[in-house]
Amino acid sequence: MTRSRTVELEGHIIDSGTMQRCFGAVMDLGGSFDVEQFDVGKHETEESYCRLTVSADDAETLRAILHELHQNGAVLEDPSAVDLVAAPADKVVPPNFYSTTNHPTEVLYDGEWIGVERIEMDCALVVDPDGGEDGSPRAYTKTLNAVEEGDLVATDESGIRVSPPERPRSGGGAFGFMQGGVSAERPSESTIREVAAELRAVKADGGNVMVVAGPAVIHSGAGDALADLVAAGYVDALSAGNGFATHDLERSIYGTSLGMDVETLEHPRKGHKHHIWTISEIIRAGGIEAAVEEGIVTEGVMYECVENDVETVLAGSIRDDGPLPDTITDAVEAQNAIREQAHEADLVIMLATLLHSVAVGNCLPSTTKTVCVDINPATVTQLLDRGSAQAIGMVTDIGTFVPTLAEFVLEGDE
């Protein structure tokens, strides 16, 4: 028996490719569709509308098709209220719970569409009937380990609509030039200038800039430029690992990064011990801030973060030496700390770190402007494949990118 449902698409669905993706999904999954109404937006600001009936040979196939259409912003013509089931225990969600995307999302509850707060991918969606400040309903995301017994968790996709960001129709402002994922063929200098202009614009509007940095920033000699950006007030939050901080601090104390002089590329005698000696000195001082106050650390990114009250999260890993006393070694605690940073960010700049970039990307809404820079194109590709479709990739040397970015940003202050 053929099963069918009618769905609606609305917005800039033609030039953003949404309609094409939806038609393709129906056919790829073995279904068929019949377009019942198609109104084309005829000028730049006018949206298009499409209503189509989707059919499949069985209920399971239809359910799979509707799921794919839902991820692309399609809404059932006659949506029912969100289906809520109480969590049976702490950290346990109901079967068939709704797993969120990182796109703006709404739920239909008590006859009204409610925006979902703190949206990020791969979370449960919880509705609190009177959790708002005025006692109104509230919808928000929770990671699975944060779900509490009795939480009303959304199941299936009924009463939920997703709004994937659409490609700008006319350039899209400062980031319109970078649409199209990752490429090593873009003109680097002009692209970096555009990123610099966006960074300045975000700060001028009172926005929040988050930097995600890997140890290569220090090894490549770009640490001084990043420290200059921090000192000038262009960085509000830093997310990094134990290695980044250790090598930055090592450079301040010993003039080396992982035992190598960044300027001369020489390896001083016993230089290979500098990183572990650095960790020891920071532990002895009682932490990075204490080491700055005592004059043990006098320059570098971590120094400027302390001096300028930049929120810093150092997330540990199984590979860490020491680690530094400031490093968060509990994985869940580190995730939650990164999550708080990510939800405040308006612009995120990821610098030469694959795993940390993916971790932060998982916490970001798709509306947050994101730039990922690495000499290895696989870093950006993996970030995009993981679901951070809003991330724009630059394949270039981090030792060139950061100093050039700092030059373009800071030249406007002169």
Side-chain angles (χ1 to χ4, degrees):
M1 180 184 297
T2 301
R3 307 293 181 94
S4 62
R5 292 294 299 270
T6 300
V7 299
E8 298 173 310
L9 290 165
E10 192 167 7
H12 299 302
I13 57 176
I14 302 174
D15 49 335
S16 68
T18 299
M19 190 173 68
Q20 178 182 351
R21 288 193 301 274
C22 288
F23 287 177
V26 174
M27 292 183 287
D28 289 345
L29 292 173
S32 60
F33 61 87
D34 180 29
V35 177
E36 298 181 354
Q37 182 177 346
F38 186 23
D39 301 327
V40 179
K42 297 180 180 178
H43 55 75
E44 186 174 317
T45 59
E46 186 178 358
E47 297 182 341
S48 301
Y49 170 84
C50 180
R51 185 175 71 248
L52 63 153
T53 297
V54 181
S55 302
D57 291 338
D58 56 80
E60 189 61 33
T61 301
L62 180 61
R63 187 179 299 112
I65 292 172
L66 293 176
H67 170 79
E68 193 67 27
L69 296 181
H70 171 85
Q71 304 294 294
N72 283 282
V75 182
L76 290 173
E77 183 183 37
D78 53 347
S80 56
V82 61
D83 184 22
L84 301 173
V85 177
D90 291 351
K91 302 182 182 180
V92 180
V93 292
N96 299 319
F97 78 98
Y98 175 78
S99 179
T100 57
T101 71
N102 60 352
H103 303 315
T105 303
E106 297 172 288
V107 298
L108 182 59
Y109 179 80
D110 200 19
E112 295 186 5
W113 288 101
I114 304 169
V116 178
E117 303 169 18
R118 298 175 65 83
I119 193 67
E120 63 178 276
M121 67 176 74
D122 301 332
C123 290
L125 197 164
V126 175
V127 175
D128 186 341
D130 53 5
E133 292 183 1
D134 57 355
S136 59
R138 177 186 175 221
Y140 54 97
T141 62
K142 270 192 173 184
T143 57
L144 298 192
N145 59 39
V147 169
E148 299 175 284
E149 181 179 357
D151 279 346
L152 297 179
V153 179
T155 62
D156 209 46
E157 290 163 350
S158 59
I160 300 173
R161 65 183 180 191
V162 173
S163 301
E166 297 173 332
R167 181 175 62 83
R169 301 188 73 169
S170 57
F175 271 22
F177 74 99
M178 291 193 298
Q179 295 293 326
V182 55
S183 173
E185 298 179 357
R186 294 191 179 95
S188 293
E189 185 170 316
S190 59
T191 301
I192 298 171
R193 192 176 289 279
E194 291 278 6
V195 176
E198 183 65 25
L199 196 161
R200 289 183 61 87
V202 168
K203 292 305 300 175
D205 290 340
N208 182 290
V209 176
M210 178 181 181
V211 170
V212 184
V217 174
I218 308 301
H219 298 329
S220 66
D224 289 344
L226 180 55
D228 290 342
L229 288 172
V230 175
Y234 286 99
V235 177
D236 299 286
L238 173 70
S239 182
N242 184 75
F244 170 87
T246 297
H247 303 320
D248 175 70
L249 296 165
E250 175 192 337
R251 187 156 184 268
S252 175
I253 298 173
Y254 295 103
T256 59
S257 173
L258 203 58
M260 183 188 72
D261 187 307
V262 173
E263 279 75 31
T264 66
L265 304 183
E266 295 177 351
H267 292 265
R269 184 171 178 271
K270 294 187 178 180
H272 63 286
K273 297 184 178 182
H274 286 177
H275 79 285
I276 202 68
W277 287 352
T278 295
I279 293 171
S280 176
E281 290 302 308
I282 302 301
I283 293 174
R284 184 176 292 111
I288 297 173
E289 184 174 352
V292 170
E293 292 173 352
E294 292 180 22
I296 298 171
V297 176
T298 59
E299 61 180 347
V301 179
M302 302 310 299
Y303 171 84
E304 294 296 350
C305 285
V306 171
E307 290 291 285
N308 293 278
D309 296 321
V310 171
E311 181 186 7
T312 303
V313 172
L314 302 180
S317 76
I318 197 68
R319 307 181 305 278
D320 289 340
D321 291 319
L324 294 165
D326 304 79
T327 299
I328 303 173
T329 56
D330 182 292
V332 174
E333 182 184 347
Q335 285 179 0
N336 289 336
I338 291 173
R339 184 168 284 111
E340 292 302 316
Q341 287 184 309
H343 284 194
E344 294 295 322
D346 298 296
L347 171 65
V348 179
I349 302 177
M350 301 173 171
L351 304 172
T353 172
L354 170 58
L355 298 180
H356 221 97
S357 294
V358 171
V360 173
N362 288 351
C363 300
L364 292 173
S366 62
T367 51
T368 302
K369 292 178 179 178
T370 306
V371 180
C372 182
V373 184
D374 204 297
I375 196 66
N376 184 358
T379 297
V380 186
T381 301
Q382 186 163 336
L383 182 68
L384 295 172
D385 289 346
R386 185 64 185 82
S388 300
Q390 83 279 15
I392 303 303
M394 283 192 63
V395 179
T396 190
D397 174 31
I398 204 68
T400 299
F401 175 85
V402 180
T404 306
L405 177 67
E407 177 187 348
F408 290 159
V409 170
L410 298 178
E411 70 180 2
D413 293 337
E414 297 175 356

